[in-house]
DNA sequence: TCCTTCGTACCACGACACGAAACAATACTT
DNA sequence: AAGTATTGTTTCGTGTCGTGGTACGAAGGA
């Protein structure tokens, strides 16, 4: 079996890396995992999984139910998770603005944060329509194939941007960018016009329009987007939605302390290069 | 010499154990921790801390801010934390009942869960009074010195109970039980009367009255309590408060599917909850 | 009854985690 | 400006300890 070089990077302590995988595995399967299931899912030797689970349990990161001999996430994870929530000022600040935006078009509004090469959905307001998107709060998608991700990437300093770009663009739909060149062109276009477009690049038949959110230091920290089935977001509507999304994003940025821009010219958006 | 006690007993993988300590350390200090700070706080060698942080970062459990060269909790922690929240049905179910209880006496109402030898405050409704308790949501206290903890411990099967009792009872105040014998007596008393008392055992001058919450399988999963300064909870008032706390706890238990004891008629257990 | 599959326990071996020391790149002092 | 102290990063040899095989008792299923 050809093991992936995943755990082979530099300065990676393998026991830690693999144990964290166990933790994530337990979380993703909603608890109720038995030892052998964990062993199978992670590909670890049964004995090794056993020791990891014991260690994780000792620290409170997983909880062992002695009745069913199953493992689930522990309270310490919840505890730490709350601490992260407390740090996410964007979320509270953005919520009321997102609500307005949702009501304006009655379409799903998303708030996303860049984490590594993926964006994480941090908040999401559903549209009234029955047809809803697949994404969920806490879920992830590649940054390069979503309007949220592209909105953030486009306004990142080049050096940082490179860090968040994958070496290989695996196409998620027929419309996903497959070359770094095409993606870079897309990014500079979004930077020019101030918002990002996703025409079914991440999910078939789904259209998204996203705009970046800046904090007081002038760097992108998040993005918001309106997403809907292509049928409900025809080309004629896009300018109006894009303007609204950008407006909302600017409002959030200002409330985060981002210095207001006097000029409202829509192509003149620049991030401060100095820090 | 004291290594066995320090970094755990058998089946503990030390790199994992220590890395988890790093993670908790980063969380407790609200992020913004530098490498050497982590090294100092955890007592780990600088190189080791460096490798752990790298590994944790690779897995998304900590985030490295390259600007300030500091580490904070990563998005993956938030992600997993949400999953735990989703599992905590008690919390949603208990909230409205807790609200009623808070309004009845205008005192702080707590919801706690047992985790290891400690209880974790999962929800908390403050009283209107200016004088509030020290405890916070997400915080911890020893189980044996709080009414929440004792309410849960008392209704645990003996074998499980022993697992959650510390070998050494370190006194937190002058009133804390110092002997296992005294604690056991207290526990059987609480089991008899159905609620637990804490007269300044955990925090000087703080009184708490707690009652256990059961789930559909009939086992304790949590406890609620009313807590207040001793001056506002005089002996005369205790019976009334205790009755109300027990009533509220029973209501929550029933809504969690706990079969009411009085009538055994199947399918006939949906009255007397006032709704 | 046998047979499977579970969690737990033990052990010998060699991978790899570890700490010392030195590196480069900043901050702080003089 | 030169010196000094502290930072994060890198390399490397040593010996610890994490690892996978293996085995045992218990608990179901056939």
């Amino acid at each position: 079996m050809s093991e992936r070089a995943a755990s082979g990077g530099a300065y990676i302590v393998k026991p830690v890396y693999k144990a964290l995988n166990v933790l994530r595995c337990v979380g993703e399967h909603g608890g109720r995992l038995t030892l052998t299931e964990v062993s199978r899912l992670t590909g670890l030797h049964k004995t090794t999984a056993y020791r990891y689970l014991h260690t994780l349990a000792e620290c409170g990161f997983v909880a062992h139910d002695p009745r069913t001999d199953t493992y689930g996430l522990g309270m310490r994870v919840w505890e730490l998770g709350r601490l992260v929530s407390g740090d996410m000022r964007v979320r509270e600040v953005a919520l009321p603005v997102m609500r307005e935006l949702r009501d304006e078009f009655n379409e799903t509004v998303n708030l996303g944060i860049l984490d590594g090469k993926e964006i994480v959905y941090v908040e999401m307001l559903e549209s009234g329509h029955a047809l809803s998107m697949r994404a969920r709060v806490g879920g992830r998608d590649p940054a390069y194939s979503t309007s949220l991700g592209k909105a953030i990437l486009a306004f990142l300093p080049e050096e940082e941007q490179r860090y968040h770009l994958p070496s290989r663009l695996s196409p998620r739909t027929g419309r996903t960018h497959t070359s770094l060149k095409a993606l870079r062109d897309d990014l500079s276009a979004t930077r020019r016009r101030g918002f990002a477009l996703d025409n079914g690049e991440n999910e078939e038949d789904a259209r998204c329009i996203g705009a970046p959110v800046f904090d007081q230091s002038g760097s992108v920290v998040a993005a918001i987007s309106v997403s809907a089935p292509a049928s409900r977001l025809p080309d004629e509507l896009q300018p109006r939605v894009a303007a609204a999304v950008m407006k909302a994003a600017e409002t959030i940025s200002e409330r985060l302390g981002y210095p207001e821009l006097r000029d409202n010219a829509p192509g003149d958006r620049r991030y401060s290069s100095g820090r």
Side-chain angles (χ1 to χ4, degrees), chain A:
Chain A
M1 305 215 298
S2 61
E3 279 295 326
R4 215 180 283 176
S7 63
Y11 299 107
I12 297 294
V13 181
K14 271 179 248 182
V16 175
Y17 184 88
K18 288 184 285 185
L20 291 176
N21 266 339
V22 168
L23 181 58
R24 206 185 41 179
C25 173
V26 169
E28 279 172 359
H29 289 78
R32 316 274 151 137
L33 273 188
T34 178
L35 167 62
T36 28
E37 281 171 333
V38 171
S39 162
R40 264 199 277 273
L41 286 168
T42 57
L44 292 171
H45 197 277
K46 196 172 55 166
T47 311
T48 308
Y50 179 66
R51 281 186 286 242
Y52 287 168
L53 286 170
H54 255 240
T55 310
L56 288 164
E58 176 74 24
C59 296
F61 285 82
V62 306
H64 175 70
D65 184 352
R67 264 203 309 268
T68 59
D69 251 317
T70 53
Y71 295 87
L73 290 180
M75 288 303 294
R76 204 128 242 158
V77 173
W78 175 78
E79 220 174 304
L80 291 176
R82 278 194 78 255
L83 294 176
V84 180
S85 298
D87 274 353
M88 289 202 293
R89 226 168 79 70
V90 217
R91 198 151 152 262
E92 324 159 29
V93 172
L95 207 51
V97 182
M98 290 172 66
R99 227 170 252 132
E100 276 182 44
L101 189 56
R102 194 259 317 263
D103 295 340
E104 187 173 349
F105 298 100
N106 192 26
E107 293 294 355
T108 302
V109 175
N110 310 287
L111 174 67
I113 281 186
L114 186 62
D115 186 39
K117 295 168 175 56
E118 301 171 315
I119 67 110
V120 181
Y121 295 95
V122 159
E123 193 59 79
M124 186 171 305
L125 295 176
E126 302 277 351
S127 75
H129 295 103
L131 191 55
S132 68
M133 313 264 85
R134 181 193 42 76
R136 282 182 32 182
V137 174
R140 282 162 182 267
D141 269 320
Y144 66 86
S145 66
T146 57
S147 70
L148 285 174
K150 291 195 290 187
I152 299 181
L153 287 171
F155 290 89
L156 234 39
E158 188 164 350
E159 148 208 27
E160 266 189 67
Q161 183 185 98
R162 193 174 302 114
Y163 175 75
H164 296 282
L165 287 179
S167 52
R168 176 103 179 77
L169 303 182
S170 54
R172 294 176 54 87
T173 73
R175 291 161 174 269
T176 312
H177 291 303
T178 56
S179 78
L180 261 175
K181 172 83 173 62
L183 178 59
R184 284 240 169 72
D185 289 347
D186 189 354
L187 290 182
S188 65
T190 63
R191 183 165 47 234
R192 242 180 289 121
R193 66 178 172 233
F195 64 92
L197 275 177
D198 160 20
N199 281 328
E201 297 164 30
N202 183 66
E203 195 174 346
E204 210 70 66
D205 195 49
R207 283 192 171 180
C208 296
I209 301 178
V213 173
F214 303 87
D215 68 357
Q216 72 276 5
S217 77
S219 39
V220 251
V221 290
I224 60 171
S225 75
V226 164
S227 60
S231 57
R232 290 209 301 267
L233 259 187
D235 293 348
E236 316 87 73
L237 194 54
Q238 285 194 12
R240 262 189 60 207
V241 176
V245 173
M246 287 175 63
K247 183 87 191 319
E250 280 168 24
T251 304
I252 300 171
S253 298
E254 282 165 23
R255 294 193 188 166
L256 284 176
Y258 183 63
E260 190 169 359
L261 298 171
R262 291 298 170 189
D263 51 317
N264 281 356
D268 224 10
R269 197 73 184 277
R270 292 181 58 212
Y271 59 90
S272 53
S273 51
R275 48 180 48 123

